[in-house]
């Protein structure tokens, strides 16, 4: 099952939601349909999620490809 698509500047990423010991966690990942691969960019608590992901300066895979 795919996680939820993130919003705003991170709309190319997905967020998988889970909880452990009462703490909400997120797995932030990107799907490369062309190569049939998944890239995990961040795993951590939900707290300050967008701030943490923003610090990573993630760009969409389509901007990284060299053709």
């Amino acid at each position: 099952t795919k996680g939820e698509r993130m919003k705003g500047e991170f709309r190319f990423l997905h967020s998988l939601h889970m909880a452990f010991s009462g703490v909400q966690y997120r797995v932030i990942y990107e799907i490369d349909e062309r190569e049939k691969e998944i890239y995990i960019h961040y795993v951590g608590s939900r707290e300050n999620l967008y701030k943490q992901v923003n610090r990573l300066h993630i760009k969409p895979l389509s901007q990284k490809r060299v053709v």
Side-chain angles (χ1 to χ4, degrees), residues 10-22:
F10 302 117
R11 64 187 170 277
F12 62 95
L13 298 171
H14 291 83
S15 175
L16 184 63
H17 304 191
M18 60 188 67
F20 180 74
S21 295

Side-chain angles (χ1 to χ4, degrees), residues 48-63:
N48 298 315
L49 174 72
Y50 277 86
K51 184 187 287 186
Q52 294 295 335
V53 172
N54 193 40
R55 287 181 183 170
L56 297 174
H57 303 286
I58 302 168
K59 301 292 182 210
L61 288 172
S62 60
Q63 291 183 6

Side-chain angles (χ1 to χ4, degrees), residues 29-40 61 65:
Y29 62 97
E30 188 172 2
I31 300 172
D32 184 343
E33 298 285 349
R34 186 172 135 190
E35 299 294 328
K36 307 287 189 237
E37 296 177 336
I38 296 173
Y39 295 89
I40 297 174
L61 288 172
R65 283 206 176 95

Side-chain angles (χ1 to χ4, degrees), residues 2-14:
K2 271 193 206 183
E4 295 179 8
R5 186 172 293 274
M6 293 182 70
K7 297 182 186 338
E9 67 183 293
F10 302 117
R11 64 187 170 277
F12 62 95
L13 298 171
H14 291 83

Side-chain angles (χ1 to χ4, degrees), residues 37-48:
E37 296 177 336
I38 296 173
Y39 295 89
I40 297 174
H41 295 290
Y42 175 81
V43 178
S45 70
R46 181 178 166 272
E47 187 177 356
N48 298 315

